[in-house]
Amino acid sequence: MNIKTGYKQTEIGVIPEDWEVTNLGSVCNESMQNGVFFKPSNKGFGIKIINVGDLYKTSPIDIDSLELFNASNSEKERFRVKDGDLFFTRSSVVPSGIAHCNMYQSNQDESVVFDSHVIRVRLNKRKIISSFLFRFCISATARNYLISHAKTGTMTTIDQNVLAKCPVYLPSIKEQTAIATALSDIDALIGELDKLIAKKQGIKQATMQQLLTGKKRLAGFSGEWEVKRLGDVATLINGRAYKISEWETTGTPVIRLQNLTGSDNYYFSKLNLPTYQYCHFGDLLYMWSATFGIHIWQGEKAIYHYHIWKIEPTKGLADKNFLFHKLNEITESLKQKSTNGGTMLHITKSFMENNKIMFPPIEEQTAIATILSDMDAEINALQQKRDKTAQLKQGMMQELLTGRIRLSIKE
């Protein structure tokens, strides 16, 4: 294998000549440690405690969301958390979750401890900085080692000895700082996009509450809204059930519930069906079994499965996009009532057809739907930008943390 000038081969990959390969244990300032035994009776008051679940939330660890634990004075002293500490999960139901890493970052002098299901790693800051090592420990290089060396059984577990042997790339402190800063900057951009998306979603929700109920009228519209049954302004058409013998690998795609919730894995059919059992781009589809919700189909001509209705608005009575937003509102309300009441949500065709909905004149429906659809488009565009930025970050991490791309370091 040809190695580029300025790089060297190591036991775990090619890295720059001026980088070292060490292990996690060698960059620690003190021994790794499991946390305090979490007694349920001591929960709810006292000082903050870092639990396993906190490692899976935001990074760094969200201090404000931590639970309280009534730790003794000796526990406070022995298990006290410091700025820059890293934490790893000791066990996981699935191998991919083992040794999940997060970082504690705070300039506040407050007492925080950590749970016994978490391993703390306290670093020698003359050798390595926390923000660099945290990102290395969530990179492919570290994750591949940790997952492959964990013990598998009923639960996947990892101990301190295995964790200590995890290989670590070690550039200079200056380069570590530059890498961590570059990745922190892109994290900050993602965070700002998340905040903006949440803000726009909140504005849209408030706008829906006003416009879909008639509490706020758009300029130029007046008159009474009418209460109508869904079945009087739209037709709900059942999909078709399929036998396994009817599935094909080519033909017309068959839309199942999972295809409306993110999966691109389709079955196909070569059956010649009545026109009403096909759907086309822009049609309304409603999932009514197990998974519930309204969707606007964005694909090519397809067949929809039995657990989906196609909803055809009656021309002149219901605007398709207005109906989409109303049905989404109804469904969310039904889900909420089901959750609060502790009963499983069950929707039948007759139940949905008998739902009574407030309808303004068709022109006002269209105007309201246009405003809400424009807001959806803006949110979707922001979400796409956020997703692309997150993908860019993943690529940057792999390149920077392996030294394939070097940053300019100011002396």
Side-chain angles (χ1 to χ4, degrees), residues 110-332:
E110 65 175 314
S111 292
V112 178
V113 295
F114 60 104
D115 178 64
S116 60
H117 294 94
V118 172
I119 300 173
R120 178 181 65 191
V121 173
R122 183 162 287 164
L123 306 178
N124 182 338
K125 296 182 180 180
R126 292 189 300 274
K127 292 183 177 180
I128 200 162
I129 63 171
S130 301
S131 52
F132 170 82
L133 183 58
F134 160 64
R135 288 174 173 82
F136 183 84
C137 288
I138 63 174
S139 71
T141 303
R143 294 301 302 152
N144 290 340
Y145 168 85
L146 294 168
I147 292 170
S148 63
H149 287 77
K151 298 176 183 177
T152 55
T154 306
M155 294 280 285
T156 302
T157 60
I158 199 164
D159 59 40
Q160 295 175 15
N161 291 330
V162 173
L163 195 60
K165 294 175 183 176
C166 179
V168 172
Y169 291 154
L170 198 64
S172 69
I173 288 289
K174 284 185 177 180
E175 190 164 4
Q176 290 177 40
T177 303
I179 291 169
T181 299
L183 295 175
S184 294
D185 288 345
I186 199 167
D187 278 338
L189 176 57
I190 292 171
E192 289 304 312
L193 287 170
D194 284 337
K195 290 178 184 177
L196 184 56
I197 289 168
K199 179 181 178 181
K200 296 291 185 181
Q201 287 173 334
I203 293 171
K204 183 206 165 189
Q205 189 63 35
T207 304
M208 286 176 62
Q209 291 288 334
Q210 295 291 315
L211 294 182
L212 293 178
T213 58
K215 292 177 181 176
K216 181 178 180 180
R217 305 295 294 275
L218 296 176
F221 295 100
S222 60
E224 296 295 321
W225 288 31
E226 296 183 37
V227 177
K228 298 177 182 178
R229 290 174 59 255
L230 175 61
D232 292 334
V233 297
T235 303
L236 279 62
I237 306 171
N238 288 330
R240 186 182 185 279
Y242 285 84
K243 302 174 184 176
I244 294 178
S245 59
E246 292 178 326
W247 295 124
E248 303 282 355
T249 56
T250 60
T252 305
V254 178
I255 305 166
R256 297 174 294 159
L257 297 180
Q258 53 264 54
N259 301 128
L260 296 178
T261 56
S263 173
D264 290 327
N265 183 23
Y266 287 88
Y267 286 117
F268 295 86
S269 172
K270 291 184 179 177
L271 295 175
N272 206 0
L273 301 175
T275 302
Y276 65 85
Q277 291 196 315
Y278 293 95
C279 69
H280 301 269
F281 184 90
D283 280 348
L284 289 182
L285 299 178
Y286 191 93
M287 303 184 296
W288 58 266
S289 175
T291 303
F292 303 91
I294 184 75
H295 291 265
I296 298 178
W297 178 240
Q298 299 292 323
E300 59 184 313
K301 177 183 177 181
I303 302 166
Y304 52 102
H305 193 264
Y306 176 72
H307 293 130
I308 298 169
W309 297 315
K310 180 170 69 171
I311 299 181
E312 292 188 342
T314 303
K315 188 174 181 180
L317 294 180
D319 176 89
K320 179 184 68 177
N321 291 313
F322 179 85
L323 198 55
F324 166 80
H325 290 292
K326 288 299 291 187
L327 288 174
N328 187 55
E329 181 185 53
I330 289 170
T331 305
E332 291 306 311

Side-chain angles (χ1 to χ4, degrees), residues 26 78 89 101-102 165 182 188 206 220 243 325 343 362 367 389 404:
S26 71
R78 184 180 177 193
T89 54
C101 180
N102 209 332
K165 294 175 183 176
K243 302 174 184 176
H325 290 292
T343 58
I362 190 69
T389 306
R404 290 182 193 142

Side-chain angles (χ1 to χ4, degrees), residues 350-369:
S350 61
F351 171 83
M352 188 57 74
E353 287 174 332
N354 284 314
N355 255 282
K356 294 181 178 179
I357 302 173
M358 291 279 289
F359 282 94
I362 190 69
E363 295 81 4
E364 189 171 0
Q365 290 181 42
T366 303
I368 291 171

